[in-house]
Amino acid sequence: MELAILGGTGDIGEGLAMRFASDTDHTITIGSRDAAKATERASTYEERLSEHGVETGINGTDNSSAAAGADVVILAIPPHHVGDTVEALAEDDVLSDQLLISPAVGMNGDGDGLHYRPPSTGSVTEFVAERAPESVPVAGAFHNLAADRLADLEATLDVDTLVVADDPTISERVVALTADLAGVRPIPAGPLSNATEVESLTPLLINIARYNEDMHDVGVSFT
Ligand SMILES: NC(=O)c1ccc[n+]([C@@H]2O[C@H](COP(=O)([O-])OP(=O)(O)OC[C@H]3O[C@@H](n4cnc5c(N)ncnc54)[C@H](OP(=O)(O)O)[C@@H]3O)[C@@H](O)[C@H]2O)c1
């Protein structure tokens, strides 16, 4: 399968690229607003994978080209820009039947910590769905995973990720994709209207990490 990670030059994009490259046979392409930056970052990821005994190629290109050739597109882009990015893809006419997955979470911070700030649609995931062409399925996942922990291939994972999608068959596709990642358990959490609750866990996790020395890169695990 062809997997594109837009904004794959950033933190969560890097973590997901490293894990999908390490744990699956999918073809991974990272996208960027700057194709040269994506190419350079892809080489860096390849080198780090190779150091861990994983010999695999990662492609780097601009966001549109990455999305155009993909079956699944992960939108690893800051919340205030992910909607515009999806609209730009639609304008470039590169979206047809790719599955879009949003991990984006709206937050702002003050001296105490980070606070959940969803858009008026209720969640960034729903905001993305509103911006995507009607024929393009949108799901939410990976919101509560810690980027640094994913990117560190020495780190063992034992975390859950909640999956939201309106169509149960889309949810099943995301669950199947994610289940290939060692130590990441995908859990369906209902339709997109439930994304608010899923996304709101992310600032909580970051605040727990901030106030507890030994809980950096903490995740959720439901028992
Ligand atoms: N970091 C985490 O642990 C984590 C965990 C779960 C979910 N998330 C969510 O995932 C999303 C990305 O987080 P992140 O920490 O990876 O962010 P980030 O590193 O700050 O940014 C990711 C990438 O977004 C691209 N970008 C920046 N501004 C943009 C713009 N105006 N238009 C289009 N692309 C732009 C950049 O790529 P180029 O410059 O190469 O285009 C950048 O490398 C956020 O919504 C966040 O809430 C993050």
Side-chain angles (χ1 to χ4, degrees), residues 35 37 40 58 93 104 112-113 125 152 157 159 162 175 202 206-207:
K37 178 180 174 185
E40 185 264 320
I58 295 186
D93 216 14
D112 297 330
T125 311
D152 176 6
L157 303 177
V159 288
L162 298 162
V175 166
T202 299
I206 295 169
N207 292 336

Side-chain angles (χ1 to χ4, degrees), residues 9-12 32-33 37 76-79 81 103-105 142-143 145 147:
T9 54
D11 294 339
I12 192 71
S32 166
R33 290 166 295 176
K37 178 180 174 185
I77 289 175
H81 306 298
V105 176
F142 313 128
H143 303 94
L145 300 179

